[in-house]
Amino acid sequence: RALAKTERVREFTDTEDYLWKFFVNRVWDNLHFVLCFSPVGNTFRSCARKFPGILSGCIINWFFPWPHTALLEVAHNLMQGFPLEAEARVAAGVGKLMASMHETMISVAED
């Protein structure tokens, strides 16, 4: 009650409903939590599919840069489902370009 009185003097009404709303609003404004998942393996993908609401309102921070080989592998896997009418060396070059663009974007963002 004392905290509610000092923070919102004009709005304060000494009722249980007001105090409950005050408490819920304080929790809503100040509650933060951290979930840590490894992007390696199926666990992250499975959680993202089961609980899309968790990921829709969060910020993903990658703490360590991805190795170049991992970026190439992701590009290769993404391009397997994409019909590309080109020679194999051109398709491999597109995958290398995707990995290179990702690395360039990271280095520019850090500067």
Side-chain angles (χ1 to χ4, degrees):
R1 292 181 198 272
L3 185 61
K5 287 180 184 177
T6 58
E7 285 199 8
R8 300 176 188 208
V9 176
R10 294 180 187 165
E11 303 171 17
F12 181 74
T13 54
D14 197 2
T15 62
E16 287 185 25
D17 287 338
Y18 176 80
L19 292 174
W20 178 251
K21 286 180 188 177
F22 177 76
F23 170 74
V24 170
N25 287 337
R26 290 276 303 213
V27 170
W28 187 265
D29 291 340
N30 296 308
L31 180 67
H32 301 7
F33 61 94
V34 176
L35 294 176
C36 297
F37 290 98
S38 171
V40 178
N42 291 327
T43 305
F44 182 73
R45 186 179 317 136
S46 176
C47 286
R49 270 192 241 123
K50 288 179 184 175
F51 309 106
I54 290 175
L55 295 180
S56 68
C58 74
I59 297 171
I60 297 176
N61 290 325
W62 302 107
F63 293 105
F64 301 107
W66 283 39
H68 186 73
T69 54
L71 293 172
L72 288 173
E73 186 175 332
V74 168
H76 176 73
N77 288 339
L78 287 174
M79 292 191 53
Q80 282 181 343
F82 186 77
L84 185 64
E85 296 180 18
E87 297 175 14
R89 66 178 182 82
V90 174
V94 171
K96 289 179 184 176
L97 176 68
M98 290 170 68
S100 175
M101 288 175 59
H102 182 81
E103 290 173 331
T104 302
M105 186 249 346
I106 294 294
S107 67
V108 169
E110 288 176 348
D111 291 343

